[in-house]
């Protein structure tokens, strides 16, 4: 007879690892499955930025903060569009998630916490990360999980995909249909089924269906195919939050992963590099004041642009004299020197990368890159008038040089999907809900599967994916899941 577990966790990523480990720490016999050949999920790619208000790290540095202030900041940034219940659950328990990570050996950079301007800034320094970003998180939780695998509390099965769920007439889940490396389908059972299969940001068909038709510019894990969304809806759950979509500002096709995008290649954050270039849409118009402090303003403006695309336009003088727009991060294949000079690897991008364009006139640049040529010439002329006269049409303050010296350049950027905004509806105990908002028995979900929109509304609040994924996984394992053997033991 097939073994019955107390808990089956599907997806050994950011949320699944703590869910499995904490349940095991309470004595549960856990089956942890992952379709991939390794654990970690999106942590291999993630920035691993975490946010929490009221940590001992802040106290030690004299930073006054609390979950309430974190909550207020999220509601301010999201203009009240985040889900109050889910945000409360996340921020109230976020400090203990940071403390748990530190206790199990998480290496945090000494300058943490900081205010991160890559996303709309919090009012207080409450963002933390390690030297290896998402990998720093994984490197702390993997050995911790390994302890439970070694003790036999957690059985880990890799290369094993959840294909479906079986339900009884009351809709309780009675079995998980899984396909292992031998491609044979098997049914495993448990008291609790926890779906932590991540988002759908690699699924080109599903993404526009769930997000109002917006195109997908993926930069996440190839494994984020939305399996959990499809399987949970098949079991009676429903999807909410698709209208919360907000693209992340910028990203060009990743030469190392064709079809995926690299969000960090161009440095478009004025707090880290003031813009010298202009940003134009397909219609050849500037659509946002490039040096606005607000990431949210840039992202909201991008949401309204055709195909979620824009072009960063500049000339030879700007290319020579400005600090490199190509972000200088290790491993970046188009990393430039600062300032970039002819012959750097940055230049090679203009010789073949599909998002990089160079031409001897603005009109030819526009034709090559798919921008309205007449409008672009007009836009460049108006910008140049502003540079000479000191008054920019959009109120921009930083514009050291006009765009006038050939060759001219354009880098096409895209509104990228760092996370899935829509997700499976759950209640404050992370039980999957049906369309009447009634829990479906023993089916739980956490992580990106429940949708980033509930936690950040139609905005992007930094660290509000990794921290809630870890936190909700932890809460499930630590207290929310109950199993019959446990209840029987408690009754004795
Ligand atoms: C480039 C990038 C940078 C980011 N930076 C940040 C950041 O700095 N801060 C932040 O808060 N958020 C960030 N995010 C988002 C954040 O990292 C993710 O939302 C979060 O890690 C997702 O955690 P998860 O547990 O839901 O999913 P994952 O960690 O992706 O885990 C899901 C697991 O489920 C497995 N799986 C999927 N389908 C099945 C199936 N059918 N059967 C079995 N297993 C399955 C997958 O293989 C995977 O291992 C970033 C995302 C990206 C892509």
């Amino acid at each position: 007879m097939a073994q019955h577990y107390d808990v089956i966790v599907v997806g050994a990523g950011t949320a699944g690892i703590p869910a499995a480990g904490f349940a095991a720490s309470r004595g549960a016999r856990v089956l942890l499955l992952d379709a991939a050949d390794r654990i970690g999920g999106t942590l291999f790619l993630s920035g691993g930025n975490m946010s929490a208000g009221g940590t001992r790290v802040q106290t030690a540095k004299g930073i006054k903060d609390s979950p309430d202030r974190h909550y207020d900041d999220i509601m301010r940034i999201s203009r009240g569009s985040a889900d109050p219940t889910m945000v409360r659950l996340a921020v109230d328990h976020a400090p203990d998630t940071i403390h748990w990570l530190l206790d199990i050996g998480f290496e945090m950079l000494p300058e943490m916490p900081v205010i991160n301007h890559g996303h709309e800034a919090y009012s207080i320094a409450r963002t933390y990360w390690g030297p290896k970003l998402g990998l720093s998180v994984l490197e702390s939780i993997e050995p911790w999980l390994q302890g439970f695998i070694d003790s036999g509390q957690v059985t880990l099965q890799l290369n094993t995909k959840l294909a479906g769920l079986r339900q009884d007439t009351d809709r309780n889940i009675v079995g998980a249909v899984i396909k292992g490396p031998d491609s044979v389908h098997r049914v495993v059972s448990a008291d609790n089924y926890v779906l932590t299969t991540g988002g759908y940001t690699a699924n080109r068909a599903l993404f526009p269906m769930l997000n109002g038709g917006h195109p997908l510019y993926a930069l996440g894990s190839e494994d984020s195919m939305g399996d959990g969304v499809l399987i949970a809806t098949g079991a009676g759950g429903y999807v909410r939050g698709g209208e919360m979509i907000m693209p992340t500002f910028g990203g060009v096709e990743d030469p190392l992963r064709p079809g995926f995008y690299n969000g960090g290649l161009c440095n478009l954050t004025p707090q880290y590099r003031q813009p010298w270039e202009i940003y134009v849409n397909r219609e050849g118009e500037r659509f946002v004041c490039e040096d606005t402090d607000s990431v949210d303003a840039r992202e909201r403006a991008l949401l309204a642009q055709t195909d979620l695309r824009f072009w960063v336009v500049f000339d030879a003088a700007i290319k020579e004299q400005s600090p490199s727009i190509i972000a200088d991060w290790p491993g970046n294949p188009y990393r430039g020197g600062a300032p970039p000079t002819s012959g750097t690897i940055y230049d090679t991008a203009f010789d073949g990368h599909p998002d990089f364009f160079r031409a001897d006139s603005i009109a030819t640049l526009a034709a090559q890159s798919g921008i309205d040529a007449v409008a672009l010439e007009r836009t460049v002329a108006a910008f140049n008038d502003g540079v000479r006269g000191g008054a920019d049409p959009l109120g921009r303050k930083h514009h050291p040089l006009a765009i006038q010296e050939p060759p001219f350049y354009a880098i096409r950027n895209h509104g990228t999907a760092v996370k899935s905004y829509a997700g499976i509806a759950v209640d404050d105990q992370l039980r999957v809900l049906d369309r009447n908002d009634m829990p479906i028995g023993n089916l739980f979900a956490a992580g990106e599967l429940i949708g980033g929109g509930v936690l950040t509304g139609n905005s992007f609040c930094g660290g509000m994916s990794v921290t809630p994924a870890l936190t909700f996984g932890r809460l499930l394992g630590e207290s929310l899941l109950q199993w019959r053997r446990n209840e029987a033991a408690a009754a004795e």
Side-chain angles (χ1 to χ4, degrees):
M1 196 181 120
Q3 186 168 0
H4 181 87
Y5 295 87
D6 299 317
V7 178
I8 293 176
V9 178
V10 186
T14 322
I17 292 172
F22 276 100
S25 75
R26 282 168 62 214
R29 286 184 309 222
V30 181
L31 176 62
L32 175 61
L33 307 171
D34 203 290
D37 59 3
R38 59 183 182 182
I39 70 165
T42 301
L43 286 175
F44 284 98
L45 297 162
S46 177
N49 287 204
M50 296 176 281
S51 60
T55 64
R56 67 187 193 221
V57 187
Q58 291 174 309
T59 306
K61 295 197 171 182
I63 300 167
K64 288 198 175 14
D65 198 7
S66 65
D68 285 349
R69 289 184 176 189
H70 192 182
Y71 176 90
D72 289 345
D73 250 0
I74 290 170
M75 287 305 169
R76 171 183 62 81
I77 293 169
S78 72
R79 306 178 190 195
S81 60
D83 181 307
T85 306
M86 299 310 289
V87 175
R88 270 259 68 110
L89 189 67
V91 299
D92 284 351
H93 297 276
D96 279 346
T97 295
I98 301 295
H99 299 154
W100 161 61
L101 287 179
L102 290 170
D103 290 345
I104 61 171
F106 171 64
E107 189 188 352
M108 184 182 283
L109 285 171
E111 60 267 35
M112 300 293 137
V114 294
I115 294 181
N116 176 14
H117 294 283
H119 302 297
E120 189 68 9
Y122 288 125
S123 55
I124 296 174
R126 65 164 73 91
T127 302
Y128 318 76
W129 64 85
K132 297 185 191 169
L133 308 175
L135 267 184
S136 293
V137 176
L138 183 58
E139 285 181 0
S140 62
I141 61 178
E142 189 167 15
W144 173 82
L145 177 72
Q146 191 60 47
F148 298 107
I149 296 172
D150 292 344
S151 70
Q153 288 294 132
V154 173
T155 302
L156 173 66
Q157 285 186 20
L158 297 173
N159 299 304
T160 303
K161 194 177 168 82
L162 177 72
L165 295 170
R166 289 194 173 163
Q167 289 170 285
D168 65 16
T169 47
D170 293 327
R171 290 191 319 183
N172 289 314
I173 312 297
V174 293
V177 184
I178 61 173
K179 191 170 95 172
D182 56 5
S183 291
V184 174
H185 285 87
R186 294 186 176 80
V187 179
V188 285
S189 65
D191 286 8
N192 300 279
Y193 298 80
V194 178
L195 301 183
T196 47
T197 49
Y200 52 86
T201 53
N203 192 327
R204 282 184 177 72
L206 191 58
F207 187 91
M209 283 167 62
L210 296 181
N211 290 284
H214 287 295
L216 169 66
Y217 302 110
L219 41 61
S221 163
E222 288 85 343
D223 300 318
S224 298
M225 290 298 290
D227 287 5
V229 171
L230 301 171
I231 290 169
T233 47
Y238 74 97
V239 175
R240 66 182 172 190
E243 72 287 1
M244 299 290 184
I245 178 77
M246 183 58 71
T248 292
F249 198 77
V252 303
E253 190 160 325
D254 188 338
L256 301 180
R257 290 200 302 159
F260 282 77
Y261 290 78
N262 180 332
L265 194 63
C266 289
N267 185 348
L268 305 178
T269 304
Q271 287 89 346
Y272 302 138
R273 176 189 179 276
Q274 282 286 306
W276 294 51
E277 307 77 12
I278 55 170
Y279 308 159
V280 300
N281 56 19
R282 180 177 292 285
E283 292 72 30
E285 308 285 351
R286 288 170 66 202
F287 61 95
V288 68
C289 178
E290 294 86 353
D291 62 359
T292 175
D293 276 351
S294 169
V295 187
D296 192 58
R298 290 194 293 277
E299 290 176 343
R300 280 178 199 276
L302 176 55
L303 186 59
Q305 305 312 315
T306 310
D307 297 334
L308 293 183
R309 281 175 161 165
F310 64 100
W311 287 256
V312 174
V313 174
F314 51 104
D315 71 353
I318 290 175
K319 183 167 182 291
E320 283 301 314
Q321 294 178 42
S322 70
S324 176
I325 193 173
I326 299 296
D328 200 16
W329 52 274
N332 180 346
Y334 289 124
R335 234 168 131 191
T341 52
S342 161
T344 64
I345 200 159
Y346 177 25
D347 289 306
T348 67
F350 290 101
D351 293 328
H353 190 293
D355 287 326
F356 285 65
F357 306 92
R358 176 177 48 209
D360 286 334
S361 71
I362 292 289
T364 312
L365 185 76
Q368 278 179 11
S369 29
I371 311 172
D372 183 301
V374 174
L376 183 60
E377 284 184 320
R378 191 174 57 231
T379 297
V380 170
F383 172 75
N384 289 347
D385 285 348
V387 172
R388 291 181 200 111
D392 178 70
L394 297 185
R396 172 167 157 177
K397 305 278 185 306
H398 186 264
H399 39 61
L401 290 178
I403 298 172
Q404 57 191 1
E405 186 184 319
F408 298 97
Y409 299 90
I411 305 175
R412 183 172 58 192
N413 270 266
H414 307 76
T416 48
V418 171
K419 65 178 180 187
S420 313
Y421 273 81
I424 289 296
V426 292
D427 65 8
D428 61 359
Q429 294 167 62
L430 304 173
R431 296 177 297 188
V432 174
L433 298 174
D434 69 11
R435 289 208 161 270
N436 298 315
D437 282 333
M438 296 299 292
I440 299 175
N442 49 353
L443 183 60
F444 299 81
E448 211 175 300
L449 175 56
I450 67 168
V454 288
L455 294 159
T456 67
N458 58 4
S459 72
F460 203 108
C461 302
M464 280 305 289
S465 298
V466 167
T467 332
L470 292 166
T471 301
F472 290 175
R474 179 171 69 78
L475 291 178
L476 280 167
E478 213 170 48
S479 59
L480 296 176
L481 300 175
Q482 303 299 331
W483 46 93
R484 276 171 285 180
R485 284 192 318 114
N486 233 16
E487 286 157 16
E492 276 172 12

